Amino acid sequence: MDIEKTYMDLTKNLKASTILKNEAMSKHTSFKIGGSADILVKAKAIQDIKTILQYCKIENIPLYVMGNGSNVLVKDKGIRGIVLIIDINDINIEEKEEEKVKVTVGAGVKLGKLAGELLKRSIRWI
């Protein structure tokens, strides 16, 4: 994989995401250890995720999807390829019939933020 070419291609094609090259994975894991990823993408839009998946398939680039980085160990040699962190932080709350509510949450929403939003609206589940 040509890191510079990949970085330029992704920068050109991903509109809502953060793209970092040679990014220290210690900044993105709870254990704060490990080497760097060739490319790390924090995707903030579904279309950007689709673009990354298609790009990796066409260019035959290894893709690793990571959550919040809790309990993740990265080797000192780092990660060759692209690390994708989904960082969609939308919370959508719809009032339904009687006491029912539909809550739709983006893959990047932290549980503390969600709990705070539900508490603020006096929403609880049983």
Side-chain angles (χ1 to χ4, degrees), residues 26-78:
S26 60
K27 296 177 183 177
H28 304 280
T29 64
S30 59
F31 290 114
K32 305 294 183 203
I33 60 172
S36 62
D38 289 339
I39 304 278
L40 183 132
V41 177
K42 283 191 168 187
K44 296 188 179 292
I46 292 172
Q47 184 55 52
D48 283 359
I49 296 168
K50 291 177 183 178
T51 300
I52 293 166
L53 293 172
Q54 185 177 38
Y55 183 84
C56 287
K57 185 175 181 178
I58 291 168
E59 298 292 329
N60 197 29
I61 296 173
L63 175 67
Y64 304 90
V65 179
M66 189 174 90
N68 195 32
S70 297
N71 301 321
V72 174
L73 295 173
V74 177
K75 294 180 182 180
D76 290 340
K77 294 179 183 178

